[in-house]
Coordinates of all heavy atoms in Angstrom, one line a residue:
M1 N 0.8 -1.2 0.0 CA 0.0 0.0 0.0 C 0.9 1.2 0.0 O 1.8 1.4 0.8 CB -0.9 0.0 1.2 CG -1.9 1.2 1.4 SD -3.2 1.1 0.2 CE -4.1 2.6 0.6
L2 N 0.6 2.1 -0.9 CA 1.3 3.4 -1.0 C 1.0 4.3 0.2 O -0.2 4.4 0.5 CB 0.8 4.0 -2.3 CG 1.7 5.1 -3.0 CD1 3.0 4.4 -3.5 CD2 1.0 5.7 -4.2
D3 N 2.0 4.8 0.8 CA 1.7 5.7 1.9 C 2.2 7.2 1.7 O 2.0 8.0 2.5 CB 2.1 5.2 3.2 CG 3.6 4.9 3.3 OD1 4.3 5.1 2.2 OD2 4.1 4.5 4.3
K4 N 2.8 7.4 0.6 CA 3.4 8.7 0.3 C 3.0 9.1 -1.2 O 3.0 8.2 -2.1 CB 4.9 8.7 0.4 CG 5.3 9.0 1.8 CD 6.9 9.1 1.8 CE 7.4 9.2 3.3 NZ 8.8 8.8 3.3
C5 N 2.8 10.4 -1.4 CA 2.6 10.8 -2.8 C 3.8 10.6 -3.6 O 5.0 10.9 -3.2 CB 2.3 12.3 -2.7 SG 2.1 13.1 -4.3
N6 N 3.6 10.1 -4.8 CA 4.8 9.9 -5.7 C 5.2 11.1 -6.4 O 6.2 11.1 -7.2 CB 4.5 8.7 -6.7 CG 3.3 9.0 -7.6 OD1 2.9 10.2 -7.8 ND2 2.6 8.0 -8.0
K7 N 4.6 12.3 -6.1 CA 5.0 13.5 -6.7 C 5.7 14.4 -5.7 O 6.8 14.9 -5.9 CB 3.8 14.2 -7.4 CG 4.2 15.5 -8.1 CD 3.0 16.2 -8.7 CE 3.4 17.5 -9.4 NZ 2.2 18.4 -9.6
C8 N 4.9 14.7 -4.6 CA 5.5 15.7 -3.6 C 5.9 15.0 -2.3 O 6.5 15.7 -1.5 CB 4.4 16.7 -3.3 SG 3.0 16.2 -2.3
G9 N 5.7 13.7 -2.2 CA 6.2 13.0 -1.0 C 5.3 13.2 0.3 O 5.6 12.7 1.3
S10 N 4.2 13.9 0.1 CA 3.3 14.1 1.3 C 2.7 12.8 1.7 O 2.4 11.9 0.8 CB 2.2 15.1 0.9 OG 1.2 15.1 1.9
N11 N 2.4 12.6 3.0 CA 1.7 11.4 3.4 C 0.2 11.7 3.6 O -0.5 10.8 4.2 CB 2.3 10.8 4.7 CG 2.3 11.7 5.8 OD1 1.8 12.9 5.7 ND2 2.8 11.3 7.0
K12 N -0.3 12.8 3.2 CA -1.7 13.2 3.3 C -2.5 12.7 2.1 O -2.8 13.4 1.2 CB -1.9 14.7 3.4 CG -1.4 15.2 4.8 CD -1.5 16.8 4.8 CE -0.8 17.3 6.0 NZ -0.5 18.8 5.8
L13 N -2.7 11.4 2.1 CA -3.4 10.8 1.0 C -4.8 10.6 1.3 O -5.2 10.5 2.5 CB -2.7 9.4 0.6 CG -1.3 9.5 0.3 CD1 -0.7 8.1 -0.1 CD2 -1.0 10.4 -0.9
F14 N -5.7 10.6 0.3 CA -7.1 10.3 0.6 C -7.6 9.4 -0.6 O -7.0 9.3 -1.6 CB -7.9 11.5 0.7 CG -8.1 12.3 -0.5 CD1 -9.2 12.2 -1.3 CD2 -7.2 13.3 -0.9 CE1 -9.4 12.9 -2.5 CE2 -7.3 14.1 -2.0 CZ -8.4 13.9 -2.8
V15 N -8.8 8.8 -0.3 CA -9.4 7.9 -1.3 C -10.7 8.5 -1.8 O -11.5 9.0 -1.0 CB -9.7 6.5 -0.7 CG1 -10.5 5.6 -1.6 CG2 -8.4 5.8 -0.2
E16 N -10.9 8.5 -3.1 CA -12.2 9.0 -3.6 C -12.8 7.8 -4.3 O -12.2 7.2 -5.2 CB -12.0 10.1 -4.6 CG -13.4 10.7 -5.0 CD -13.3 11.9 -5.9 OE1 -13.1 11.8 -7.1 OE2 -13.5 13.0 -5.3
I17 N -14.0 7.5 -3.9 CA -14.7 6.3 -4.5 C -15.6 6.9 -5.6 O -16.4 7.8 -5.4 CB -15.6 5.6 -3.4 CG1 -14.7 5.1 -2.3 CG2 -16.4 4.4 -4.1 CD1 -15.4 4.4 -1.2
Q18 N -15.3 6.4 -6.8 CA -16.1 6.8 -8.0 C -16.7 5.6 -8.6 O -16.1 4.9 -9.4 CB -15.1 7.5 -9.0 CG -14.3 8.6 -8.4 CD -13.1 8.9 -9.2 OE1 -12.5 8.1 -9.9 NE2 -12.6 10.2 -9.1
G19 N -18.0 5.3 -8.2 CA -18.6 4.1 -8.8 C -17.9 2.9 -8.3 O -17.7 2.7 -7.1
Q20 N -17.5 2.1 -9.3 CA -16.8 0.8 -8.9 C -15.3 1.0 -8.7 O -14.6 0.2 -8.2 CB -16.9 -0.2 -10.1 CG -18.4 -0.6 -10.3 CD -19.0 -1.2 -9.0 OE1 -18.4 -2.1 -8.4 NE2 -20.1 -0.7 -8.7
R21 N -14.8 2.3 -9.0 CA -13.3 2.5 -8.9 C -13.0 3.3 -7.6 O -13.8 4.1 -7.2 CB -12.8 3.2 -10.1 CG -12.9 2.4 -11.3 CD -12.1 3.0 -12.4 NE -12.6 4.3 -12.9 CZ -12.2 5.0 -13.9 NH1 -11.2 4.5 -14.6 NH2 -12.7 6.1 -14.3
R22 N -11.9 3.0 -7.1 CA -11.4 3.7 -5.9 C -10.1 4.3 -6.2 O -9.1 3.6 -6.3 CB -11.3 2.8 -4.7 CG -12.6 2.0 -4.4 CD -12.2 0.7 -3.7 NE -13.3 -0.3 -3.9 CZ -13.2 -1.2 -4.9 NH1 -12.1 -1.3 -5.7 NH2 -14.2 -2.0 -5.1
G23 N -10.0 5.6 -6.2 CA -8.7 6.3 -6.5 C -8.1 6.8 -5.3 O -8.7 7.3 -4.4
L24 N -6.7 6.6 -5.3 CA -5.9 7.1 -4.2 C -5.3 8.4 -4.7 O -4.7 8.5 -5.8 CB -4.9 6.1 -3.8 CG -4.0 6.5 -2.6 CD1 -4.8 6.5 -1.3 CD2 -2.8 5.5 -2.5
Y25 N -5.5 9.5 -4.0 CA -5.0 10.8 -4.4 C -4.2 11.5 -3.3 O -4.4 11.1 -2.1 CB -6.2 11.8 -4.7 CG -7.0 11.4 -5.9 CD1 -8.1 10.5 -5.7 CD2 -6.8 11.9 -7.1 CE1 -8.9 10.1 -6.8 CE2 -7.6 11.6 -8.2 CZ -8.6 10.7 -8.0 OH -9.4 10.3 -9.1
C26 N -3.4 12.5 -3.6 CA -2.7 13.2 -2.7 C -3.5 14.4 -2.2 O -4.1 15.1 -3.1 CB -1.4 13.7 -3.3 SG -0.4 14.8 -2.2
G27 N -3.6 14.6 -0.9 CA -4.4 15.7 -0.4 C -3.6 17.0 -0.4 O -4.1 18.1 -0.1
E28 N -2.3 16.9 -0.7 CA -1.4 18.1 -0.7 C -1.4 18.7 -2.1 O -1.6 19.9 -2.3 CB 0.0 17.6 -0.3 CG 0.8 18.7 0.2 CD 0.6 19.1 1.7 OE1 -0.3 18.4 2.4 OE2 1.1 20.1 2.1
C29 N -1.1 17.9 -3.1 CA -0.9 18.4 -4.5 C -2.0 18.0 -5.4 O -2.1 18.4 -6.6 CB 0.5 18.1 -5.1 SG 0.6 16.3 -5.5
G30 N -2.9 17.0 -5.0 CA -4.0 16.6 -5.8 C -3.7 15.5 -6.8 O -4.6 15.1 -7.5
K31 N -2.4 15.1 -6.8 CA -2.0 14.1 -7.8 C -2.7 12.7 -7.6 O -2.7 12.2 -6.5 CB -0.5 13.9 -7.8 CG 0.1 12.8 -8.6 CD 0.8 13.4 -9.8 CE 1.6 12.4 -10.7 NZ 1.1 11.1 -10.8
W32 N -3.2 12.2 -8.7 CA -3.8 10.8 -8.6 C -2.6 9.8 -8.4 O -1.6 10.0 -9.1 CB -4.5 10.5 -9.9 CG -5.0 9.1 -10.0 CD1 -6.1 8.5 -9.4 CD2 -4.3 8.0 -10.7 NE1 -6.1 7.2 -9.7 CE2 -5.1 6.8 -10.5 CE3 -3.2 7.9 -11.5 CZ2 -4.7 5.6 -11.1 CZ3 -2.8 6.7 -12.1 CH2 -3.6 5.6 -11.9
Q33 N -2.7 8.9 -7.5 CA -1.7 7.9 -7.3 C -1.9 6.6 -8.0 O -1.1 6.1 -8.8 CB -1.5 7.7 -5.8 CG -1.4 8.9 -4.9 CD -0.1 9.7 -5.2 OE1 1.0 9.1 -5.2 NE2 -0.2 11.0 -5.3
K34 N -3.0 6.0 -7.7 CA -3.4 4.7 -8.3 C -4.8 4.3 -7.9 O -5.4 4.9 -7.1 CB -2.4 3.6 -7.7 CG -2.6 3.5 -6.1 CD -1.7 2.5 -5.5 CE -2.2 1.1 -5.7 NZ -1.6 0.1 -4.7
W35 N -5.3 3.3 -8.6 CA -6.6 2.7 -8.3 C -6.3 1.7 -7.2 O -5.3 1.0 -7.3 CB -7.2 2.1 -9.5 CG -7.5 3.0 -10.6 CD1 -7.0 3.0 -11.8 CD2 -8.4 4.1 -10.6 NE1 -7.5 4.0 -12.6 CE2 -8.4 4.7 -11.8 CE3 -9.3 4.7 -9.6 CZ2 -9.1 5.9 -12.1 CZ3 -10.1 5.8 -9.9 CH2 -10.0 6.4 -11.2
I36 N -7.1 1.6 -6.2 CA -6.9 0.6 -5.2 C -7.9 -0.4 -5.1 O -9.1 -0.2 -5.6 CB -6.7 1.3 -3.8 CG1 -8.0 2.0 -3.3 CG2 -5.6 2.3 -3.7 CD1 -8.1 2.4 -1.9
T37 N -7.6 -1.6 -4.6 CA -8.5 -2.7 -4.5 C -9.4 -2.6 -3.2 O -9.1 -1.7 -2.4 CB -7.7 -4.0 -4.3 OG1 -6.9 -4.0 -3.1 CG2 -6.7 -4.2 -5.5
K38 N -10.4 -3.4 -3.2 CA -11.3 -3.5 -2.0 C -10.4 -3.7 -0.7 O -10.7 -3.1 0.3 CB -12.2 -4.6 -2.2 CG -13.7 -4.2 -2.1 CD -14.6 -5.5 -2.2 CE -15.4 -5.4 -3.5 NZ -16.2 -6.7 -3.6
E39 N -9.4 -4.6 -0.8 CA -8.6 -4.9 0.3 C -7.8 -3.6 0.7 O -7.7 -3.4 1.9 CB -7.6 -6.0 0.0 CG -8.3 -7.4 -0.1 CD -9.1 -7.6 -1.4 OE1 -8.9 -6.8 -2.4 OE2 -9.9 -8.6 -1.5
E40 N -7.3 -2.9 -0.2 CA -6.5 -1.7 0.1 C -7.4 -0.7 0.7 O -6.9 0.1 1.5 CB -5.8 -1.2 -1.2 CG -4.6 -2.1 -1.6 CD -4.0 -1.6 -2.9 OE1 -4.7 -1.4 -3.9 OE2 -2.7 -1.5 -2.9
L41 N -8.7 -0.6 0.3 CA -9.6 0.3 0.9 C -9.8 0.0 2.4 O -9.8 1.0 3.2 CB -11.0 0.2 0.2 CG -12.1 1.2 0.7 CD1 -11.7 2.6 0.6 CD2 -13.4 0.9 0.0
Q42 N -9.8 -1.2 2.7 CA -9.9 -1.6 4.1 C -8.7 -1.1 4.9 O -8.8 -0.6 6.0 CB -10.1 -3.1 4.3 CG -11.4 -3.7 3.7 CD -12.6 -3.0 4.3 OE1 -13.3 -2.3 3.5 NE2 -12.8 -3.1 5.5
I43 N -7.5 -1.3 4.3 CA -6.3 -0.9 4.9 C -6.3 0.7 5.1 O -5.9 1.2 6.1 CB -5.1 -1.3 4.1 CG1 -5.0 -2.8 4.0 CG2 -3.8 -0.7 4.7 CD1 -4.0 -3.4 3.0
A44 N -6.8 1.3 4.0 CA -6.8 2.8 4.1 C -7.7 3.3 5.2 O -7.4 4.2 5.9 CB -7.4 3.3 2.7
K45 N -8.9 2.6 5.4 CA -9.8 2.9 6.5 C -9.1 2.7 7.8 O -9.2 3.5 8.7 CB -11.1 2.0 6.4 CG -12.1 2.5 5.3 CD -13.3 1.6 5.4 CE -14.3 1.9 4.2 NZ -15.3 0.8 4.2
F46 N -8.5 1.6 7.9 CA -7.8 1.2 9.2 C -6.7 2.3 9.5 O -6.6 2.6 10.7 CB -7.1 -0.2 9.1 CG -6.4 -0.6 10.3 CD1 -7.1 -1.1 11.4 CD2 -5.1 -0.5 10.4 CE1 -6.5 -1.5 12.5 CE2 -4.4 -0.9 11.5 CZ -5.1 -1.4 12.6
N47 N -6.1 2.8 8.5 CA -5.0 3.7 8.7 C -5.5 5.2 8.9 O -4.8 6.1 9.0 CB -4.0 3.7 7.5 CG -3.2 2.4 7.6 OD1 -2.9 1.9 8.7 ND2 -2.7 2.0 6.5
G48 N -6.9 5.3 8.8 CA -7.5 6.6 9.1 C -7.4 7.6 7.9 O -7.6 8.8 8.1
L49 N -7.2 7.0 6.7 CA -7.3 7.9 5.5 C -8.7 8.5 5.3 O -9.7 7.8 5.6 CB -6.8 7.2 4.2 CG -5.4 7.3 3.9 CD1 -4.5 6.5 4.9 CD2 -5.1 6.7 2.5
K50 N -8.8 9.7 4.8 CA -10.1 10.2 4.5 C -10.6 9.5 3.2 O -9.9 9.3 2.2 CB -9.9 11.7 4.2 CG -11.2 12.5 4.0 CD -10.9 14.0 4.0 CE -12.2 14.8 3.8 NZ -13.2 14.6 4.9
I51 N -11.9 9.1 3.4 CA -12.6 8.5 2.3 C -13.7 9.3 1.8 O -14.6 9.7 2.5 CB -13.2 7.1 2.7 CG1 -12.2 6.3 3.6 CG2 -13.7 6.3 1.5 CD1 -11.1 5.6 2.9
I52 N -13.7 9.7 0.5 CA -14.7 10.6 -0.1 C -15.5 9.8 -1.0 O -15.0 9.1 -1.9 CB -14.1 11.8 -0.8 CG1 -13.3 12.7 0.2 CG2 -15.1 12.6 -1.6 CD1 -12.5 13.7 -0.4
E53 N -16.8 9.8 -0.9 CA -17.7 9.1 -1.8 C -18.3 10.0 -2.8 O -19.0 10.9 -2.4 CB -18.8 8.3 -1.0 CG -18.2 7.1 -0.3 CD -19.3 6.0 -0.1 OE1 -20.0 5.7 -1.1 OE2 -19.4 5.5 1.0
N54 N -17.9 9.8 -4.0 CA -18.4 10.7 -5.1 C -19.7 10.0 -5.7 O -19.6 9.1 -6.4 CB -17.3 10.8 -6.2 CG -17.7 11.9 -7.2 OD1 -18.9 12.2 -7.3 ND2 -16.7 12.4 -7.9
K55 N -20.8 10.6 -5.3 CA -22.1 10.0 -5.7 C -22.6 10.6 -7.1 O -23.7 10.3 -7.5 CB -23.1 10.2 -4.6 CG -22.7 9.4 -3.4 CD -23.9 9.3 -2.4 CE -23.6 8.4 -1.2 NZ -22.9 9.1 -0.2
E56 N -21.8 11.5 -7.6 CA -22.2 12.1 -8.9 C -22.3 11.2 -10.1 O -23.0 11.3 -11.0 CB -21.2 13.2 -9.3 CG -20.9 14.2 -8.2 CD -21.9 15.4 -8.2 OE1 -22.1 16.0 -9.2 OE2 -22.5 15.7 -7.1
N57 N -21.4 10.1 -10.0 CA -21.4 9.2 -11.1 C -22.4 8.1 -11.0 O -22.2 7.1 -10.4 CB -20.0 8.5 -11.2 CG -18.9 9.6 -11.5 OD1 -19.2 10.6 -12.2 ND2 -17.7 9.4 -10.9
Ligands
ZN101 ZN1 1.4 15.2 -3.6

């Protein structure tokens, strides 16, 4: 599981759920990191990452 932004190195990452996809983004520079699996979402929740549910899609 990625824990740092691959652009700016910040550890302020968050997850945005877009329909069936879950994107990991940097909260500092906004850079998309990767799509994460259901399992990684569980890890993200455990680690206290912010989870945003985008219901627009
Ligand atoms: Zn960043």
Side-chain angles (χ1 to χ4, degrees):
M1 180 73 181
L2 203 64
D3 59 357
K4 270 186 192 159
C5 173
N6 58 27
K7 186 183 177 195
C8 73
S10 169
N11 62 358
K12 290 180 191 156
L13 302 180
F14 71 92
V15 176
E16 187 174 83
I17 300 174
Q18 306 161 333
Q20 296 304 306
R21 294 194 294 187
R22 305 155 207 94
L24 183 67
Y25 295 86
C26 176
E28 201 80 8
C29 71
K31 174 110 174 25
W32 172 82
Q33 310 290 315
K34 61 181 284 201
W35 298 115
I36 62 169
T37 64
K38 237 184 244 176
E39 288 76 14
E40 286 175 312
L41 178 62
Q42 294 308 114
I43 297 167
K45 282 181 184 171
F46 180 79
N47 288 333
L49 266 68
K50 190 170 176 59
I51 315 286
I52 295 169
E53 284 205 50
N54 189 339
K55 297 194 174 85
E56 308 272 311
N57 299 325

